[in-house]
Amino acid sequence: MTTIDPPRFESSRPRRGINWEKWGWIYMRASGVVLLVLIFGHLFVNLVAGEGVKAIDFAFVAGKLADPFWVIWDTLLLWLALIHGANGMRTIVNDYATNPTVRRILLGAIFASTAVLLILGTLVIYTFDPCPVVPVDQLDMLPSFCPAQ
């Protein structure tokens, strides 16, 4: 005679550890609200205020990145948008990748590309030199706020 194991039911006890799905869901909602403010503020300053899109050039970008307020603004925009997008891609992969190996590869690729983009983007924001050293014959290419070298 064969024995049949009874069906296993989930315990009514709470699971221990961090519920990453819950925190991912909360992050998507909170970052989405903050991103709306950051994106529309960015678009307003770049496209509406001042002379509009025709004023965007090296000097405009250099002037913004010389101000600590805009450095923090752009850093928040970069980090929140990239992590928000990566979390969305993670959700899609978890929903549709049925093969565990493929899922692991895709999640690793998402993590790696997000990490690389965050590092490179942050380096650009914080190491950008708005007043680079230029040859004497190209001093007119410097933004107006840079001292003559």
Side-chain angles (χ1 to χ4, degrees), residues 4 6 8 17 26 61 67 70 98 127:
I4 299 175
R8 295 183 182 184
I26 291 170
V61 175
D67 183 356
W70 289 112
T98 56
T127 63

Side-chain angles (χ1 to χ4, degrees), residues 88-149:
M89 291 301 296
R90 180 194 61 82
T91 302
I92 291 170
V93 167
N94 284 337
D95 286 348
Y96 293 106
T98 56
N99 185 320
T101 304
V102 172
R103 177 182 296 141
R104 201 169 25 256
I105 290 169
L106 291 173
L107 291 175
I110 291 168
F111 176 79
S113 61
T114 302
V116 167
L117 290 172
L118 283 173
I119 291 167
L120 292 176
T122 304
L123 280 173
V124 167
I125 292 171
Y126 283 93
T127 63
F128 179 76
D129 185 5
C131 297
V133 177
V134 296
V136 176
D137 62 333
Q138 295 179 357
L139 286 177
D140 58 332
M141 300 288 287
L142 286 175
S144 59
F145 56 82
C146 290
Q149 299 169 351

Side-chain angles (χ1 to χ4, degrees), residues 52-69:
V53 72
K54 67 182 176 185
I56 298 177
D57 57 4
F58 178 82
F60 179 81
V61 175
K64 276 185 66 177
L65 289 179
D67 183 356
F69 174 80

